[in-house]
Amino acid sequence: MSPKKSIRYTVQQCLIFGCGDTGRRVARLALAQDMAVAGAVRSAASKQELHDIGIESFVYDLDVPLTRSDMPSLAAHICYLVPPPDEGEDDPRLEQALHGLERSGLPARILYVSTTGVYGDCQGRWIDENAPLAPATVRARRRVAAETRLREWCTLHGVAWIILRVPAIYGPHRLPVERLRARLPVPQPDTRHYSNRIHIDDLAHICFKALTDAPDNSLYNVSDGKPGSFADYLLLLAELTGLPAPPLIPMQGAEGHIDPGMLSFLRESKRIRNDKLLHELKLTLQYPDARSGILASLTVMADSNLQKESRC
């Protein structure tokens, strides 16, 4: 069987479902390449925000039954960034979007942003795209169901798919600064509990490169390749902001002191490889470690605050 070929796609029209913080960055990259791009959002307020920055958009709420007038126009490429609902074992939002595409016209390919949570707790092992799926939470099981449904739908309709499995996303205004200010505790640094991250600007670049350059039907793990404990991340943030370091507590005594959702995340330990991503898409990350990404994020946040003050 011959290896898959990488094809450079000319995106005549790119439709971004869930055009929020990440989607807007993807849209700007597409616009910079003179590509027609549109965003699907849930509210008129979000539509206006996109209009104000020059991005065409329309309201497309995937939580309500669709009508003919809701259907998006034909798009060559789909970037799907909408998370599943907080309940259930599957993803009815994705199902709604796929039904809409069947009515409006099939795209050439769909990029779906999933999560590295589908691997479950790997006890600190290095994980690549061949690792078995072992989702430990209902949140991760919804993602597995969505990935499976997307592949089935794309195979049935002759549409290429690209799946990105993404860890924690950080960046400007996405740093746990308020957590530090609130002096919330965190489990002590422990090499048995690894977490993984990616800067939002790198994620947007990866989405765009995968959408345009990846071979059909490709799967990539996304990360900066520098896993570490959540405590180490917060200690670094405290150092770079000058805020007090968070209280450190043993993992065994964390119940009742840390939000259950956060605790379930912290109890899953894995180290995500990004070798395939960087090699196959010929990528160089702008922020290959947390220090460089946090420093850049703090600079953007400081500039944003200065702009707000100048307008007052």
Side-chain angles (χ1 to χ4, degrees):
M1 185 174 181
S2 59
K4 292 183 292 184
K5 294 182 179 180
S6 180
I7 302 172
R8 173 68 187 187
Y9 283 82
T10 301
V11 180
Q12 297 175 337
Q13 186 175 15
C14 175
L15 175 61
I16 302 172
F17 281 92
C19 200
D21 201 5
T22 303
R24 293 176 190 182
R25 285 168 163 81
V26 177
R28 290 190 185 102
L29 291 172
L31 290 173
Q33 297 295 318
D34 296 323
M35 297 175 180
V37 60
V41 294
R42 295 184 63 182
S43 69
S46 296
K47 178 180 179 179
Q48 184 61 47
E49 289 175 3
L50 290 183
H51 174 78
D52 291 344
I53 58 176
I55 299 173
E56 180 187 354
S57 62
F58 56 91
V59 176
Y60 194 63
D61 190 343
L62 296 174
D63 286 332
V64 299
L66 302 178
T67 66
R68 174 67 61 178
S69 62
D70 291 326
M71 297 300 110
S73 58
L74 176 64
H77 293 68
I78 303 297
C79 181
Y80 190 88
L81 300 167
V82 181
D86 292 332
E87 297 179 348
E89 294 281 342
D90 55 9
D91 188 352
R93 290 174 181 165
L94 176 64
E95 197 68 41
Q96 285 267 50
L98 296 177
H99 284 320
L101 294 176
E102 288 172 358
R103 297 184 192 181
S104 63
L106 299 177
R109 53 174 30 195
I110 300 177
L111 180 138
Y112 177 80
V113 174
S114 184
T115 171
T116 54
V118 297
Y119 297 114
D121 179 19
C122 302
Q123 300 181 336
R125 296 189 302 276
W126 281 102
I127 297 301
D128 63 17
E129 289 80 359
N130 296 315
L133 303 186
T137 66
V138 65
R139 181 175 62 250
R141 291 197 294 273
R142 285 192 288 266
R143 290 293 194 170
V144 172
E147 287 187 18
T148 301
R149 174 57 179 146
L150 178 70
R151 291 190 192 193
E152 292 173 348
W153 186 91
C154 287
T155 299
L156 176 64
H157 294 286
V159 175
W161 55 263
I162 309 293
I163 293 174
L164 304 181
R165 290 177 177 158
V166 178
I169 305 167
Y170 74 103
H173 309 291
R174 299 175 72 108
L175 301 175
V177 174
E178 292 307 316
R179 185 184 184 93
L180 291 179
R181 289 181 176 143
R183 303 285 292 146
L184 296 178
V186 64
Q188 296 168 342
D190 190 332
T191 55
R192 294 172 299 176
H193 295 96
Y194 289 98
S195 59
N196 304 267
R197 279 159 292 279
I198 190 70
H199 190 282
I200 192 168
D201 284 336
D202 280 326
L203 175 58
H205 187 210
I206 290 165
C207 287
F208 183 73
K209 284 283 288 182
L211 196 63
T212 57
D213 288 8
D216 289 346
N217 307 334
S218 292
L219 168 67
Y220 299 101
N221 286 339
V222 174
S223 81
D224 63 11
K226 301 292 191 305
S229 73
F230 185 58
D232 286 331
Y233 176 67
L234 287 179
L235 290 170
L236 175 60
L237 180 60
E239 172 196 333
L240 297 177
T241 58
L243 291 169
L248 302 176
I249 61 175
M251 177 68 83
Q252 293 81 354
E255 293 87 350
H257 297 280
I258 297 177
D259 175 81
M262 172 64 74
L263 197 55
S264 69
F265 165 74
L266 296 176
R267 282 175 169 159
E268 291 190 4
S269 178
K270 61 184 76 72
R271 288 180 281 180
I272 299 297
R273 294 191 181 278
N274 62 7
D275 309 61
K276 179 184 178 185
L277 176 81
L278 300 183
H279 174 73
E280 199 160 287
L281 297 183
K282 298 178 175 59
L283 279 167
T284 299
L285 297 179
Q286 187 174 359
Y287 305 109
D289 54 62
R291 179 176 289 273
S292 62
I294 291 173
L295 284 171
S297 300
L298 292 172
T299 298
V300 171
M301 292 164 66
D303 290 344
S304 176
N305 289 335
L306 285 174
Q307 291 174 15
K308 289 179 182 179
E309 291 173 4
S310 68
R311 291 194 294 266
C312 294

